[in-house]
Amino acid sequence: MKRAICVTLMVLAVCMGINADISGAWSGTLNLGQMKMRVVFHFTREGDGYRFSMDSPDQGAKGIPGEIAYLAEDSVSVKVGMAKISYAGKVEADSIKGVFEQHGHRFPLNFKRGDVEISRPQTPQPPFDYRTEEVSIANDDIKIAGTITYPVGYDGKEKVPAMLLINGSGQQNRDEELFGHKPFAVIADYLARNGIATLRCDDRGVGGTSGNANAITIQSNAADALAEVKYLRDSGKFSAVGAIGHSEGGTIAFMLAQQGAVDCIVSMAGSMVDGVSQLINQNHVLLTLNGIEGVDEYCAALEPVLKYISTHSPCIDAERQLEEILDENDLTLKRQLKPALVEILSRDMGTWLRSFLLYNPAEVIASTKCPVMAINGETDTQVDYILNLESLRLALPGNRKDLIKTYPGLNHLFQPCKTGLTTEYGSIETTISPEVLADIVSWLKGVL
């Protein structure tokens, strides 16, 4: 669930005898077969020219810098070099009709004036009928910023249960904000209205939390979560303390349970297999959905490559290293897959990905004693419910209060969806299925 917003200088284009005014936002939708992706172009008038940038709302990207290659009264051509994108179109009063090209693939793309309107009806809006508190938590030299949301009617005289909310992978704020959705704000609001307090925190290097985001590992994220649980315990305000984790956060919840730090855990699409197996499965699902041929062969070749990069720095001579990793006799396989695999070998994968690839949760799951609620959407393309929940069932000791459940038609974010692809996340108005929220509260009330 990584995302980045590009904020850099944009190239100024000189008007070439332009009479038409193209300033403002223009929005269109790319039709990629199973996927549809919204695109927004921004043209800002500056003196005798325009500066240009692009948004990809369904990928959570804004302000991607670009340049205007050509601009005339009835046509425009732009480039986004960092994404290898080009577009050329005919300009009319309120539309631009043209062709979008990326990596040699061409698609028709028409724009109309106006930005993309994003509706998020579940996002809580003030005034709130519950109290919140901003807190600062120390974990060695890291200062963690977070928000405690108390239940409606809380007066501080009686202890109430509290749940720590643990973000998924990637640097995220305390709301786990993604594509305009704020899942943890929605969960905190719902639990507050049902008698349960929550603590949600910014990740390292995000918002009010200190630390180097480039040095994060799954273990450092778990250490922060442990410090946050300890803060709730030490406050003396809460009758019980549990954890709700999404994606990587669901995996970390089990790490807290192994240490006896929490009274119960809710894993929402948590990874229950080793990192290499998880990424191989993700690739297989996504490539198959996109109609790519040779998926089995690619994933078979990708596995030893991922195992190699989990313990090695970027490979200077990636082609030679690939020859050593793959079967020398399978020349056809190497010819077909070589460009993609060489690119992976030569890339700096970062500390977090290395820690994820090397991590296997089986032993931690096997030592879990507190009650567990583990849920997955059956249309999740990032954490496959069959692979992960079957692995969980095999490893989990078992507790009569455990609940393992799947939801037909829900994706990795527990939104109702069509394909489950990540490109749908931003176009779906629902942040979290109301059924999932109700089930979490019902289960928590039974175990706390």
Side-chain angles (χ1 to χ4, degrees), residues 139-161:
N139 179 23
D140 293 331
D141 60 340
I142 302 296
K143 297 298 181 183
I144 303 169
T147 300
I148 295 179
T149 301
Y150 294 99
V152 172
Y154 176 77
D155 59 7
K157 296 179 180 179
E158 293 186 9
K159 292 185 177 182
V160 295

Side-chain angles (χ1 to χ4, degrees), residues 55-103:
D55 298 344
S56 181
D58 298 324
Q59 294 177 305
K62 296 182 179 180
I64 304 170
E67 60 179 298
I68 300 178
Y70 179 79
L71 185 59
E73 183 172 0
D74 64 347
S75 60
V76 63
S77 175
V78 299
K79 294 182 178 180
V80 181
M82 64 182 296
K84 295 180 171 56
I85 289 171
S86 63
Y87 177 83
K90 290 290 184 181
V91 180
E92 299 180 4
D94 293 308
S95 67
I96 303 175
K97 299 179 180 179
V99 176
F100 178 99
E101 184 172 351
Q102 185 176 30
H103 300 299

Side-chain angles (χ1 to χ4, degrees), residues 135-140 142-148 162-167 172 174 184 198-204 209-210 220-235 238 241-244 249 252 256 261-262:
V135 298
S136 178
I137 302 166
N139 179 23
D140 293 331
I142 302 296
K143 297 298 181 183
I144 303 169
T147 300
I148 295 179
M163 300 296 292
L164 171 68
L165 306 184
I166 311 172
N167 284 334
Q172 300 177 83
R174 66 194 71 186
F184 281 4
T198 55
L199 168 62
R200 61 192 197 273
C201 300
D202 297 329
D203 288 339
R204 292 190 187 192
T209 298
S210 65
S220 68
N221 286 337
D224 289 345
L226 185 62
E228 292 153 15
V229 167
K230 186 175 185 300
Y231 181 90
L232 291 173
R233 295 279 193 198
D234 291 347
S235 72
F238 306 108
V241 175
I244 299 175
I252 290 174
L256 298 178
V262 287

